[in-house]
Amino acid sequence: MNVEKNPPKRTTVIDAIRGFSLLGILMANILIFQYGVYGKDELHLFNPTSWDLIGHDMLKIFVEGSFMPIFSFLFGFSMIKMKDSLTAKGLKFGRNIVRRSILLIILGFLHSLLWEGDILLFYGTITFFLLMFVNRKPKTLMIWGSVFLLLSIGISYGSYNPTPEDAQRMMSYVKETIDLYGTGTYSEIMYHRINSDPLGLPGWVVPIVLFILVPLILGALFLFGMAAAKRGRFMSPGTEKKLYLRYAVICVPVGIAAKTMSVILGTGHTWSTLMQAAGGQILAIGYIYLFAFLYAHSSEKSVIVRSFEAVGRMSLTNYLMQTFICVLIFYGFGIGLFGKLGVLPGILLALMIYTAQAVFSLLILNRFRIGPVEWLLRIGTYWSWSGRPKLRRQQNAAQVHPKTGAPLHKSPQDEITYTAKV
């Protein structure tokens, strides 16, 4: 990994928001790690205490469904910033983003072999869908994003209304996982994941449904992030404080109220999933702007701010590290605490893991420019061992100054290329 003394200027508030989102993602995922993708919503099968139930409700209101959308927003934002950076250097965006997408798909597939909650495979795939929007105007992106938001809320209405047979099938599946995930070997757990069906659908249908529904559900935040990047948001937090506060005071209370109502109504109510879907995405937007507002009022020397930034700059490394640590803690081929720790101890464990990651990230970035997985991804994206895009050479060497190398007859494109080279 190359050490860089003077790295290029970054949008540090975006790094910090990304680091903050990883904390929430870990909080939400800790339920999946210790109860399973389906078991986390069937907590009664794990003999929970009253404190477990309270903690579970708090996570559903304040965390679940509201931090992955933040990551989606930042993914769209970063995609536009990557395009702007490459274009300014006279480089092609398409080939680089396609390579990056393919690498994310491969990495996501490998990650899914370790854990069932992978999201990288989806991110790599949805990039091809987002390419249709990279050249659209911010207003167009906001319109399409609003359409996706309304559609995602609409299709969630009454989406969880299982029949008695469905409920029995799900209960049997979760009961099987309780012993298997806590004591089974890696091959036994993988066999169960591949061959067991809690939804009563053919195996080939589930991936198709997910790749149709997930972009529909999260598509709004991707497009909102792209629009924010095109409008130059978050580049100067000190001058955008009023904007941040305006969005935060509207979206945070509305999102929390909707998700609270969802919890009160219960999973069996037809309006519950709609309130959860709407509240989750609205709260995500509120969290983004609330965090940006707090960031704009914080000191750059604050260890908390620097920790969030460091974790965010190494988001891919830290995301994969969270999986590696947690499967070893909860699965049978590790310590085997699956279903045994409890919700509140799980939250404390998540905070401990995140704190350790913050310290690790600060130490790594004190010496290196980026994290190890980010470095490998950049090598594959830019097809360069340095992990940086290769700048184009002057096409006509005879038309440059013999000493300075400056073009004698500079076209606008030559000016861009020469400036990037210098």
Side-chain angles (χ1 to χ4, degrees):
M1 191 185 306
N2 292 339
V3 180
E4 184 175 332
K5 295 181 179 179
N6 298 305
K9 184 178 180 181
R10 297 176 62 93
T11 312
T12 53
V13 64
I14 292 297
D15 288 328
I17 295 173
R18 188 178 288 109
F20 170 64
S21 70
L22 271 179
L23 174 59
I25 288 170
L26 178 58
M27 289 282 195
N29 284 347
I30 205 73
L31 288 176
I32 302 177
F33 283 120
Q34 62 175 325
Y35 298 113
V37 169
Y38 301 102
K40 69 180 180 62
D41 294 320
E42 305 290 337
L43 207 62
H44 60 280
L45 298 176
F46 293 84
N47 299 317
T49 66
S50 298
W51 286 109
D52 286 332
L53 296 175
I54 293 173
H56 186 258
D57 286 345
M58 291 301 100
L59 286 178
K60 288 185 73 67
I61 293 171
F62 295 102
V63 176
E64 196 172 81
S66 292
F67 280 86
M68 191 57 72
I70 296 178
F71 223 66
S72 301
F73 180 97
L74 300 176
F75 189 89
F77 186 97
S78 299
M79 189 171 175
I80 295 300
K81 287 301 178 184
M82 178 182 176
K83 178 180 182 296
D84 291 345
S85 176
L86 291 173
T87 302
K89 296 172 183 176
L91 302 175
K92 292 184 178 181
F93 170 68
R95 65 180 63 175
N96 289 290
I97 194 64
V98 167
R99 282 198 293 259
R100 184 171 181 265
S101 302
I102 293 173
L103 290 171
L104 282 176
I105 290 171
I106 295 172
L107 189 59
F109 173 75
L110 295 175
H111 182 229
S112 68
L113 297 179
L114 184 62
W115 183 53
E116 57 192 332
D118 171 72
I119 197 67
L120 298 179
L121 182 61
F122 161 70
Y123 275 17
T125 305
I126 199 174
T127 303
F128 296 98
F129 166 77
L130 296 176
L131 285 173
M132 296 188 299
F133 295 93
V134 293
N135 294 320
R136 303 283 80 82
K137 296 179 180 179
K139 183 178 180 180
T140 303
L141 292 170
M142 291 300 294
I143 292 173
W144 275 105
S146 299
V147 170
F148 277 111
L149 180 62
L150 292 175
L151 285 174
S152 68
I153 294 172
I155 64 172
S156 65
Y157 174 74
S159 60
Y160 187 78
N161 190 20
T163 64
E165 292 77 13
D166 293 333
Q168 181 62 41
R169 186 188 305 109
M170 181 63 70
M171 183 175 67
S172 299
Y173 176 88
V174 174
K175 285 183 176 180
E176 287 178 24
T177 65
I178 293 176
D179 291 329
L180 179 62
Y181 277 43
T183 61
T185 63
Y186 170 79
S187 58
E188 290 172 338
I189 293 173
M190 278 298 300
Y191 181 84
H192 179 267
R193 282 175 51 191
I194 295 171
N195 295 281
S196 298
D197 174 31
L199 301 177
L201 297 173
W204 59 270
V205 172
V206 175
I208 295 176
V209 171
L210 290 177
F211 275 97
I212 292 176
L213 291 182
V214 175
L216 185 61
I217 294 172
L218 295 179
L221 274 295
F222 284 106
L223 298 181
F224 289 158
M226 295 170 76
K230 284 178 175 284
R231 287 176 171 171
R233 297 284 187 257
F234 306 107
M235 299 304 293
S236 302
T239 63
E240 294 185 327
K241 295 177 183 178
K242 291 184 179 179
L243 174 71
Y244 300 157
L245 184 61
R246 184 162 61 246
Y247 276 100
V249 297
I250 295 173
C251 294
V252 171
V254 171
I256 290 176
K259 295 180 75 176
T260 301
M261 184 58 65
S262 173
V263 170
I264 292 173
L265 292 174
T267 55
H269 198 282
T270 54
W271 283 91
S272 179
T273 50
L274 184 147
M275 301 297 284
Q276 181 71 14
Q281 297 187 73
I282 293 172
L283 185 57
I285 296 171
Y287 278 158
I288 291 169
Y289 285 98
L290 177 60
F291 188 92
F293 177 77
L294 297 175
Y295 181 91
H297 285 82
S298 65
S299 169
E300 294 182 358
K301 297 181 180 180
S302 168
V303 66
I304 296 177
V305 170
R306 290 175 52 238
S307 296
F308 280 129
E309 290 178 0
V311 173
R313 286 178 62 183
M314 292 177 48
S315 58
L316 188 54
T317 297
N318 284 311
Y319 173 70
L320 295 174
M321 190 188 304
Q322 288 172 3
T323 296
F324 183 76
I325 292 171
C326 288
V327 296
L328 290 181
I329 291 174
F330 292 108
Y331 286 9
F333 51 84
I335 299 175
L337 292 182
F338 187 85
K340 299 176 182 178
L341 192 60
V343 176
L344 290 183
I347 293 174
L348 294 176
L349 175 64
L351 290 173
M352 292 172 59
I353 293 172
Y354 187 87
T355 301
Q357 287 188 306
V359 174
F360 171 75
S361 300
L362 286 168
L363 291 174
I364 290 293
L365 295 177
N366 189 47
R367 177 173 175 78
F368 301 105
R369 181 169 55 92
I370 55 177
V373 182
E374 288 76 12
W375 177 60
L376 292 173
L377 185 64
R378 287 175 68 92
I379 287 176
T381 298
Y382 300 121
W383 216 241
S384 166
W385 285 113
S386 66
R388 300 174 187 168
K390 297 178 181 178
L391 301 181
R392 290 179 177 177
R393 297 180 179 179
Q394 298 295 333
Q395 295 181 356
N396 192 342
Q399 295 182 350
V400 300
H401 192 281
K403 292 184 179 180
T404 65
L408 296 178
H409 302 285
K410 294 181 284 187
S411 67
Q413 181 60 47
D414 289 334
E415 181 65 35
I416 292 174
T417 307
Y418 177 70
T419 302
K421 186 175 182 179
V422 172

